[in-house]
Amino acid sequence: MIAGPRRKPLVAVLPVVMIACLSACTSSKETNVSGMTPQQSKARALAMEQEIAGRLPKDAVVSVDPSRGGTLISCAGDGVYSRAAGVTIHIAEGTDPATLLPALAESYSSDTRFQVRDVDSDYRSAIQLSGEYAEGYVIGTTGGEHALVVDSFSPCFELPPTMSPFDDF
């Protein structure tokens, strides 16, 4: 579960991402499932979180702190889920976290894996990377910490009968 200062940014951006995820899905289970196992899907999202942090200027990043776990959210259809989690990227004093977002968006603009969108709000600067099978990442300022938060949503996968959607994953 996400706790402490991570809760508010994820809760604030979750409706935007849920709409994006749902609009990427259709009613056919076969077209929404990546073919990955839950572990492969989670590994892909974790690797992407690190890739995103790695695309920021090295001198701007103080630390990268992953969330303590993930939550499964329904993608579409029975038994099809995505793992929602994220990381907090602490930014060096003297660097405005919001100023890092345009260059980060530009670095993904020619990446065929994702569509890039500006999803700024009245209180938060953010960009969204949307991929296949409802995979997505929202990278934005926190409003409270000197940091960027990456809210990640893994590619959709079929949940095996040995796992519960209520498990911390």
Side-chain angles (χ1 to χ4, degrees):
M1 296 298 287
I2 298 172
R6 290 266 314 126
R7 178 179 217 116
K8 188 172 183 179
L10 181 60
V11 169
V13 101
L14 191 57
V16 172
V17 177
M18 291 294 292
I19 290 168
C21 288
L22 292 174
S23 67
C25 294
T26 63
S27 61
S28 170
K29 196 173 181 180
E30 289 75 27
T31 61
N32 296 321
V33 181
S34 64
M36 295 179 189
T37 66
Q39 293 76 15
Q40 290 168 327
S41 184
K42 176 182 177 180
R44 178 177 171 127
L46 292 172
M48 273 302 303
E49 293 169 359
Q50 294 304 310
E51 178 183 312
I52 291 166
R55 290 198 184 198
L56 296 170
K58 302 289 181 238
D59 60 339
V61 176
V62 174
S63 65
V64 180
D65 299 327
S67 61
R68 289 185 284 278
T71 301
L72 297 182
I73 59 173
S74 180
C75 279
D78 291 335
V80 180
Y81 291 89
S82 174
R83 178 183 183 267
V87 298
T88 300
I89 305 169
H90 297 278
I91 303 300
E93 291 298 325
T95 301
D96 179 358
T99 64
L100 301 172
L101 293 173
L104 184 61
E106 179 63 29
S107 78
Y108 280 100
S109 65
S110 61
D111 190 325
T112 59
R113 297 174 298 170
F114 301 104
Q115 293 179 351
V116 182
R117 276 185 4 163
D118 179 358
V119 290
D120 284 353
S121 69
D122 289 341
Y123 70 97
R124 182 179 188 213
S125 297
I127 61 171
Q128 178 182 10
L129 306 176
S130 299
E132 288 188 297
Y133 310 112
E135 177 181 15
Y137 306 89
V138 178
I139 305 102
T141 57
T142 66
E145 295 180 69
H146 198 71
L148 291 174
V149 173
V150 180
D151 296 319
S152 66
F153 300 84
S154 74
C156 295
F157 54 86
E158 286 192 63
L159 194 66
T162 57
M163 291 181 70
S164 167
F166 304 107
D167 290 344
D168 192 29
F169 181 65

